[in-house]
Amino acid sequence: MFTDRLSLDRLFSPATLLLIAALLASPPSTAEAVFATDDEINTMQVFNFASPSVVYVTNETVVRDRWTLRLHTVPKGAGSGFIWDDQGHVVTNFHVIDGARKVTITLQDRSEWPAELVGTAPEKDLAVVKINAPRELLKPLAPGHSADLAVGRKVLAIGNPFGLDTTLTTGVVSALGREIEATNNRTIRNVIQTDAAINPGNSGGPLLDSSGRLIGVNTAIYSPSGASVGIGFAIPVDTVKKIVPELIAHGRLVRPILGIESAPDQWASRYDFEGVAILRTAPDLPADVAGLRGVFRARNGGWQLGDVIIGIDRQPVRNYDDLMNALENHRPGDRVQVRYLRDGEEFEAQLTLAAP
């Protein structure tokens, strides 16, 4: 249950305080009775505590008038986000601000602030922008943990669906370990599935637990109609906590490299293999030092397939997406075991990952 250490005035709106006062008073007659469960009180508590941290994100782009050829800005889309820290960093989805010429953040007090792009991770559908608002207006959300989530746990989503600001929906974790596709066709793994209604405009908003802690970032829905049908997805907060500091520090994900140029995934079907074929290795980088080789010219003058990476440590590599996800679990300087095929035989090589 949500902590009671904060004052009631901060946690509840005046209307909610009146409801609680009615509940604590002597029971009224049956015709006038007002009933509320502990779960309803918890929901109101979490909403009142967390909603000041949720923001409205509007995205404007530039178009050219077909008659005058002049450039002017037009609304491109809108979504949600939330305050990450008291420095003014705001987390949202990449697809919410993708292609924006101008991003505006609207706080709960309806003040509007121009946002500066800090960093993006399209492969995780996450982005960070920054506003220069006074610290007293910035109420960061406390991050929780997603590793210990279980199906059936209560969750709450706050966002701005269809432009309706600060809307609350509730539900449960309906599945874990899902996979969805990012805008750049990369796979986002270990995604939270929830039946809390997530509609267009909820994207980028927080998914909360019953203690008001951030456990995910709402990112997508499964819906043939485009509206919520009870299957929504959120990027787990453990992933968010790893990525956002990198975006703030570097503007992008800092992923270690093997020092290879990979062949297109279509080669796998052409040459009937599963893995990532090496097109060429970069001189003096890890793959080259470990003796891996790319495509080479055979004695007859034709080109011959080089090494095919099929695993990083214990994680299988079936395609380029698998390779990128495997590398995201490591840092530059880590020692990894690379399994690869050469002329149909399997080999292993130990190498030290390099910085990009």
Side-chain angles (χ1 to χ4, degrees):
M1 184 62 69
F2 190 76
T3 179
D4 294 321
R5 287 180 290 180
L6 299 175
S7 68
L8 290 176
D9 288 340
R10 179 181 173 186
L11 291 177
F12 296 111
S13 64
T16 306
L17 287 173
L18 290 174
L19 173 60
I20 295 176
L23 292 171
L24 297 177
S26 57
S29 65
T30 304
E32 300 173 346
V34 178
F35 299 100
T37 65
D38 289 342
D39 183 62
E40 287 173 331
I41 292 177
N42 171 254
T43 298
M44 292 185 289
Q45 242 180 336
V46 172
F47 177 76
N48 281 279
F49 176 75
S51 58
S53 304
V54 183
V55 303
Y56 187 40
V57 183
T58 53
N59 170 353
E60 294 183 357
T61 191
V62 173
V63 298
R64 186 184 299 275
D65 188 282
R66 61 181 299 183
W67 303 112
T68 66
L69 301 183
R70 292 179 180 175
L71 296 175
H72 57 95
T73 59
V74 296
K76 183 175 184 290
S80 305
F82 56 91
I83 306 297
W84 178 258
D85 57 28
D86 61 6
Q87 303 299 310
H89 291 109
V90 173
V91 176
T92 185
N93 283 147
F94 170 75
H95 75 259
V96 170
I97 57 92
D98 185 23
R101 175 65 176 252
K102 177 183 178 183
V103 175
T104 302
I105 301 297
T106 304
L107 302 179
Q108 194 187 43
D109 68 351
R110 300 193 181 280
S111 60
E112 295 184 354
W113 302 88
E116 172 191 359
L117 180 64
V118 173
T120 62
E123 58 268 56
K124 299 298 181 182
D125 199 15
L126 290 173
V128 177
V129 298
K130 186 177 182 182
I131 60 175
N132 292 317
R135 288 197 175 189
E136 57 268 22
L137 297 180
L138 303 173
K139 302 183 184 301
L141 281 176
H145 302 280
S146 51
D148 56 357
L149 284 177
V151 174
R153 284 281 300 271
K154 174 184 173 181
V155 292
L156 306 92
I158 304 178
N160 307 286
F162 305 109
L164 303 172
D165 62 331
T166 323
T167 297
L168 170 71
T169 56
T170 63
V172 298
V173 174
S174 54
L176 294 168
R178 296 302 198 203
E179 294 184 357
I180 60 175
E181 191 174 276
T183 54
N184 63 349
N185 299 320
R186 287 286 310 281
T187 301
I188 306 176
R189 302 185 176 183
N190 298 317
V191 171
I192 302 167
Q193 179 183 310
T194 177
D195 67 349
I198 297 174
N199 287 294
N202 272 109
S203 294
L207 188 70
L208 308 164
D209 64 13
S210 56
S211 294
R213 294 171 300 198
L214 176 72
I215 58 170
V217 178
N218 302 319
T219 188
I221 60 173
Y222 173 77
S223 171
S225 66
S228 176
V229 294
I231 300 180
F233 300 102
I235 302 167
V237 70
D238 290 350
T239 299
V240 178
K241 289 189 293 186
K242 181 172 65 173
I243 290 176
V244 168
E246 288 193 9
L247 297 185
I248 293 174
H250 307 289
R252 59 184 176 87
L253 289 182
V254 180
R255 183 188 298 109
I257 61 171
L258 296 171
I260 66 169
E261 181 180 345
S262 61
D265 283 341
Q266 290 83 348
W267 281 36
S269 58
R270 179 189 303 175
Y271 293 101
D272 192 26
F273 66 82
E274 194 173 71
V276 174
I278 299 176
L279 192 61
R280 62 178 61 90
T281 60
D284 302 323
L285 285 180
D288 178 57
V289 172
L292 274 69
R293 70 186 186 189
V295 174
F296 63 96
R297 191 178 291 277
R299 291 182 179 179
N300 61 8
W303 292 99
Q304 186 169 328
L305 185 68
D307 295 337
V308 177
I309 297 174
I310 59 173
I312 301 289
D313 290 336
R314 297 181 179 179
Q315 187 169 337
V317 172
R318 297 174 294 270
N319 50 44
Y320 181 77
D321 192 47
D322 284 348
L323 178 63
M324 291 296 98
N325 278 303
L327 292 177
E328 285 171 4
N329 296 325
H330 295 281
R331 306 289 299 175
D334 286 354
R335 292 280 292 176
V336 297
Q337 184 180 58
V338 177
R339 293 186 293 113
Y340 62 95
L341 297 176
R342 175 177 291 180
D343 298 328
E345 294 186 47
E346 184 174 326
F347 297 89
E348 292 182 354
Q350 295 281 340
L351 53 81
T352 301
L353 297 174

